[in-house]
Amino acid sequence: MQIVILAAGMGTRLGRPLPKPLTVLENGETIIGRQVSSCRSVFGADTEVLVVVGFKMDQIMEAVPEVTFAYNEDFDCTNTSKSLLRALRRTGDRGVLWMNGDVVFDPSVLERIRPLVADGQSFVCVNTASVADEEVKYLLDDEGHISELSKSVVGGLGEAVGINFISAPEKAALIARLDDVDDNDYFERGMELTILRGEARFRPIDISDYFAVEVDFEDDLSRANEHL
């Protein structure tokens, strides 16, 4: 199993001079440093972590030198779909757990999803306690798998929190769809295309009883610090 952290974006909404993953939390950790340490504490110290970099990449590489890196040279004109595409092409035929580089979460989230990773079940971590208009939302089919996944979903059952897994058998299809989508699409568009074409099936994993927030604005950062 491979872990990927997407950290190539410019993160302008937070209004900081550094990449968002380098934002320092009140306990002294950076967001990305906390992610790496949490992943290795749950999945093992030798777990491979690949970070996709772009904006001010040298600063991220200096902050977490113990991981490997992929470079999205088009970070200023592409979205997360193309960063994830670069990562998946670098990770062979293994299943991949990936997360956005600005997510602050309770490490217990990883304990919950660990059995599904071991079983090779593709999934999307979701929060059913909130369904904000600006967030990625989802619907389910009759068998309980995700049928729609985007910000434009109407009547969403919850929000995606930015932590996902693609199984090894379904990975090639996701790579192909990420290649198909527009440069400015989020990676969820590639996932949705695999669903529509019957190429992958993602289960929603409810982590609402744990804390997880994507830090886009100062209010998000305040909420993250309150839960450390």
Side-chain angles (χ1 to χ4, degrees), residues 55-101:
F55 177 62
K56 296 188 176 181
M57 65 176 186
D58 291 346
Q59 296 179 20
I60 293 180
M61 295 171 75
E62 290 172 4
V64 284
E66 69 274 22
V67 306
T68 58
F69 299 93
Y71 179 45
N72 179 359
E73 66 276 11
D74 299 317
F75 67 88
D76 58 343
C77 59
T78 61
N79 212 323
T80 56
S81 60
K82 302 309 178 184
S83 286
L84 181 59
L85 176 60
R86 283 166 171 77
L88 295 185
R89 283 175 168 166
R90 284 274 304 272
T91 54
D93 58 0
R94 294 171 288 179
V96 172
L97 173 70
W98 80 90
M99 61 192 69
N100 290 325

Side-chain angles (χ1 to χ4, degrees), residues 8-24:
M10 300 173 69
T12 55
R13 288 182 294 180
L14 191 59
R16 302 294 176 88
L18 298 176
K20 274 198 298 179
L22 295 183
T23 301
V24 179

Side-chain angles (χ1 to χ4, degrees), residues 82-221:
K82 302 309 178 184
S83 286
L84 181 59
L85 176 60
R86 283 166 171 77
L88 295 185
R89 283 175 168 166
R90 284 274 304 272
T91 54
D93 58 0
R94 294 171 288 179
V96 172
L97 173 70
W98 80 90
M99 61 192 69
N100 290 325
D102 59 357
V103 184
V104 180
F105 56 88
D106 186 330
S108 297
V109 169
L110 301 180
E111 294 286 0
R112 174 161 296 174
I113 64 178
R114 186 176 180 178
L116 288 97
V117 171
D119 289 342
Q121 169 66 63
S122 298
F123 62 78
V124 175
C125 288
V126 300
N127 175 12
T128 58
S130 177
V131 192
D133 288 342
E134 70 275 10
E135 301 299 332
V136 173
K137 301 170 285 294
Y138 72 96
L139 294 175
L140 299 179
D141 62 21
D142 293 339
E143 296 181 353
H145 293 93
I146 291 176
S147 59
E148 296 183 39
L149 183 69
S150 72
K151 290 187 176 184
S152 61
V153 166
V154 177
L157 302 174
E159 301 173 355
V161 302
I163 303 173
N164 313 276
F165 178 74
I166 186 71
S167 69
E170 296 171 327
K171 183 177 176 182
L174 180 56
I175 290 173
R177 299 312 138 230
L178 291 169
D179 199 23
D180 289 342
V181 302
D182 293 339
D183 285 350
N184 288 315
D185 279 328
Y186 294 97
F187 59 69
E188 285 90 356
R189 180 54 182 159
M191 298 167 71
E192 194 173 46
L193 287 178
T194 65
I195 293 167
L196 293 172
R197 295 168 66 111
E199 297 170 328
R201 305 180 81 189
F202 294 90
R203 283 184 56 188
I205 304 302
D206 190 357
I207 61 164
S208 303
D209 51 332
Y210 294 123
F211 177 72
V213 61
E214 286 192 271
V215 178
D216 289 322
F217 304 102
E218 286 292 340
D219 287 348
D220 300 326
L221 182 58

